[in-house]
Amino acid sequence: MAFEFAPYHDVGAGKRVMGEAQYEALVAGYSPDGIFGHPGDPNPLAIVGGQLVLRAGVSGVARGYWWSSGDTDTPITVGSNAGGTGVRRDHIVIRIDRDANPRTVAPVARQGGTNGLLPAPAQALGSTGQWELSLGSVALPAGGTIGAATLTRLGWYVGPDGQLLCTSSTRPPPSPGRVIYETNTGRQLLANGEQWRLVTDAEASAAVTLVAANWTAPLFNQLYRRNGSVDLTLTPQRVSGPLNPGTSSTLGTIPTGFRPVGDKEITGHVVSTGALVVCRIVGSTGVITLTPWRDRIESARYVNLQAASWPVRH
């Protein structure tokens, strides 16, 4: 069985039973687009014997069109990058071609340039033009063919109740009001038309990765994340030589998934002496630097940092 789509052709009558433009206009507004299944399923694309294919048994929906690769691999033509001077990235999509008569639905490669940028999928609305659903990308090195290409997954999935399932790197476009669930992070996100906003996420805990040569934290070192907010409790102990006033020391790094949206400053004091300390957190990297003021921090002294919380970067 070759690649096929439905439901427009009445096999028994041998004719179309509904205009395709009318059907798309009716169904696309409430039908999710995506691959049927789960992000944990095998990559729908593969390179087999120097040929890019859509694997057998992969199906999905696009603008109300059901599509399926059938029970055999569907080959996808990808031109070589023989004359290229840089990496070329092609976007592999399911393309609805409304200008064909009758319309066609098929997996194709949208060829990119040699600047390494991935071309955007076509998203024409109305009764003409093309509309494309992302499946993945192939990166062809300069002078290379598909046999030397690297595959990257981009497709998202439609679950059993019509929910959109993806990973943090395969999100669909942020159409207003669209809700997605990331299976690799446990987060549910809501789109506002331009960005994704966190609705809820999986509770998790972690610790600041300390610079062991200078700091330890035998009493308190905990990051706790719940519903987009992170709480930090940290009481570091100086284990190397004294740290003089005005001298900064890298305390450690907050792991990905717990870092603040922007840079943050928190204060604290040295236990017993009361000397003021200031910590700066760089949101993009999670690096924490600590600087004492007025008095130095002697070796083996604890620093009592204020409890802090922040919205998490996602």
Side-chain angles (χ1 to χ4, degrees), residues 7-18:
Y8 309 111
H9 192 258
D10 184 337
V11 176
K15 63 180 181 180
R16 304 277 180 176
V17 296
M18 184 178 187

PDB file of all heavy atoms in Angstrom, residues 7-18:
ATOM      1  N   PRO A   7     -10.658  12.023   3.670  1.00  0.00           N
ATOM      2  CA  PRO A   7     -11.722  11.075   3.351  1.00  0.00           C
ATOM      3  C   PRO A   7     -12.488  11.426   2.082  1.00  0.00           C
ATOM      4  O   PRO A   7     -13.681  11.146   1.980  1.00  0.00           O
ATOM      5  CB  PRO A   7     -12.639  11.218   4.560  1.00  0.00           C
ATOM      6  CG  PRO A   7     -12.583  12.695   4.840  1.00  0.00           C
ATOM      7  CD  PRO A   7     -11.183  13.124   4.467  1.00  0.00           C
ATOM      8  N   TYR A   8     -11.843  12.051   1.117  1.00  0.00           N
ATOM      9  CA  TYR A   8     -12.605  12.670   0.040  1.00  0.00           C
ATOM     10  C   TYR A   8     -13.067  11.720  -1.065  1.00  0.00           C
ATOM     11  O   TYR A   8     -13.985  12.028  -1.792  1.00  0.00           O
ATOM     12  CB  TYR A   8     -11.767  13.788  -0.591  1.00  0.00           C
ATOM     13  CG  TYR A   8     -11.241  14.729   0.441  1.00  0.00           C
ATOM     14  CD1 TYR A   8      -9.889  14.779   0.733  1.00  0.00           C
ATOM     15  CD2 TYR A   8     -12.107  15.529   1.165  1.00  0.00           C
ATOM     16  CE1 TYR A   8      -9.416  15.631   1.713  1.00  0.00           C
ATOM     17  CE2 TYR A   8     -11.637  16.374   2.145  1.00  0.00           C
ATOM     18  CZ  TYR A   8     -10.289  16.427   2.414  1.00  0.00           C
ATOM     19  OH  TYR A   8      -9.827  17.257   3.375  1.00  0.00           O
ATOM     20  N   HIS A   9     -12.425  10.595  -1.216  1.00  0.00           N
ATOM     21  CA  HIS A   9     -12.735   9.746  -2.359  1.00  0.00           C
ATOM     22  C   HIS A   9     -13.635   8.586  -1.950  1.00  0.00           C
ATOM     23  O   HIS A   9     -13.302   7.794  -1.081  1.00  0.00           O
ATOM     24  CB  HIS A   9     -11.440   9.208  -2.975  1.00  0.00           C
ATOM     25  CG  HIS A   9     -11.647   8.555  -4.306  1.00  0.00           C
ATOM     26  ND1 HIS A   9     -11.679   7.199  -4.471  1.00  0.00           N
ATOM     27  CD2 HIS A   9     -11.855   9.088  -5.527  1.00  0.00           C
ATOM     28  CE1 HIS A   9     -11.884   6.911  -5.738  1.00  0.00           C
ATOM     29  NE2 HIS A   9     -11.990   8.041  -6.411  1.00  0.00           N
ATOM     30  N   ASP A  10     -14.781   8.496  -2.569  1.00  0.00           N
ATOM     31  CA  ASP A  10     -15.719   7.406  -2.341  1.00  0.00           C
ATOM     32  C   ASP A  10     -15.334   6.266  -3.285  1.00  0.00           C
ATOM     33  O   ASP A  10     -15.569   6.331  -4.494  1.00  0.00           O
ATOM     34  CB  ASP A  10     -17.149   7.882  -2.619  1.00  0.00           C
ATOM     35  CG  ASP A  10     -18.183   6.813  -2.306  1.00  0.00           C
ATOM     36  OD1 ASP A  10     -17.836   5.614  -2.292  1.00  0.00           O
ATOM     37  OD2 ASP A  10     -19.340   7.179  -2.082  1.00  0.00           O
ATOM     38  N   VAL A  11     -14.712   5.223  -2.719  1.00  0.00           N
ATOM     39  CA  VAL A  11     -14.212   4.132  -3.556  1.00  0.00           C
ATOM     40  C   VAL A  11     -15.346   3.461  -4.317  1.00  0.00           C
ATOM     41  O   VAL A  11     -15.235   3.149  -5.505  1.00  0.00           O
ATOM     42  CB  VAL A  11     -13.452   3.107  -2.688  1.00  0.00           C
ATOM     43  CG1 VAL A  11     -13.011   1.922  -3.539  1.00  0.00           C
ATOM     44  CG2 VAL A  11     -12.249   3.759  -2.014  1.00  0.00           C
ATOM     45  N   GLY A  12     -16.475   3.244  -3.641  1.00  0.00           N
ATOM     46  CA  GLY A  12     -17.589   2.560  -4.286  1.00  0.00           C
ATOM     47  C   GLY A  12     -18.174   3.345  -5.447  1.00  0.00           C
ATOM     48  O   GLY A  12     -18.430   2.806  -6.523  1.00  0.00           O
ATOM     49  N   ALA A  13     -18.365   4.648  -5.238  1.00  0.00           N
ATOM     50  CA  ALA A  13     -18.962   5.479  -6.282  1.00  0.00           C
ATOM     51  C   ALA A  13     -17.932   5.968  -7.286  1.00  0.00           C
ATOM     52  O   ALA A  13     -18.279   6.394  -8.386  1.00  0.00           O
ATOM     53  CB  ALA A  13     -19.671   6.678  -5.655  1.00  0.00           C
ATOM     54  N   GLY A  14     -16.666   5.923  -6.890  1.00  0.00           N
ATOM     55  CA  GLY A  14     -15.616   6.377  -7.787  1.00  0.00           C
ATOM     56  C   GLY A  14     -15.626   7.873  -8.022  1.00  0.00           C
ATOM     57  O   GLY A  14     -15.271   8.341  -9.102  1.00  0.00           O
ATOM     58  N   LYS A  15     -16.043   8.644  -7.038  1.00  0.00           N
ATOM     59  CA  LYS A  15     -16.097  10.095  -7.212  1.00  0.00           C
ATOM     60  C   LYS A  15     -15.867  10.789  -5.877  1.00  0.00           C
ATOM     61  O   LYS A  15     -15.917  10.179  -4.816  1.00  0.00           O
ATOM     62  CB  LYS A  15     -17.439  10.511  -7.787  1.00  0.00           C
ATOM     63  CG  LYS A  15     -18.618  10.200  -6.863  1.00  0.00           C
ATOM     64  CD  LYS A  15     -19.946  10.628  -7.488  1.00  0.00           C
ATOM     65  CE  LYS A  15     -21.109  10.342  -6.532  1.00  0.00           C
ATOM     66  NZ  LYS A  15     -22.400  10.743  -7.129  1.00  0.00           N
ATOM     67  N   ARG A  16     -15.622  12.078  -5.968  1.00  0.00           N
ATOM     68  CA  ARG A  16     -15.485  12.893  -4.772  1.00  0.00           C
ATOM     69  C   ARG A  16     -16.860  13.096  -4.140  1.00  0.00           C
ATOM     70  O   ARG A  16     -17.857  13.263  -4.840  1.00  0.00           O
ATOM     71  CB  ARG A  16     -14.890  14.257  -5.118  1.00  0.00           C
ATOM     72  CG  ARG A  16     -13.549  14.188  -5.833  1.00  0.00           C
ATOM     73  CD  ARG A  16     -12.409  14.013  -4.867  1.00  0.00           C
ATOM     74  NE  ARG A  16     -11.123  13.944  -5.556  1.00  0.00           N
ATOM     75  CZ  ARG A  16      -9.969  13.861  -4.941  1.00  0.00           C
ATOM     76  NH1 ARG A  16      -9.923  13.822  -3.637  1.00  0.00           N
ATOM     77  NH2 ARG A  16      -8.846  13.797  -5.619  1.00  0.00           N
ATOM     78  N   VAL A  17     -16.876  13.079  -2.814  1.00  0.00           N
ATOM     79  CA  VAL A  17     -18.159  13.225  -2.133  1.00  0.00           C
ATOM     80  C   VAL A  17     -18.308  14.587  -1.471  1.00  0.00           C
ATOM     81  O   VAL A  17     -19.382  14.915  -0.987  1.00  0.00           O
ATOM     82  CB  VAL A  17     -18.336  12.117  -1.080  1.00  0.00           C
ATOM     83  CG1 VAL A  17     -18.400  10.761  -1.747  1.00  0.00           C
ATOM     84  CG2 VAL A  17     -17.225  12.156  -0.045  1.00  0.00           C
ATOM     85  N   MET A  18     -17.222  15.374  -1.442  1.00  0.00           N
ATOM     86  CA  MET A  18     -17.294  16.703  -0.842  1.00  0.00           C
ATOM     87  C   MET A  18     -16.147  17.529  -1.385  1.00  0.00           C
ATOM     88  O   MET A  18     -15.039  17.019  -1.569  1.00  0.00           O
ATOM     89  CB  MET A  18     -17.191  16.615   0.683  1.00  0.00           C
ATOM     90  CG  MET A  18     -17.360  17.936   1.403  1.00  0.00           C
ATOM     91  SD  MET A  18     -17.286  17.737   3.204  1.00  0.00           S
ATOM     92  CE  MET A  18     -17.723  19.389   3.737  1.00  0.00           C
TER      93      MET A  18
END
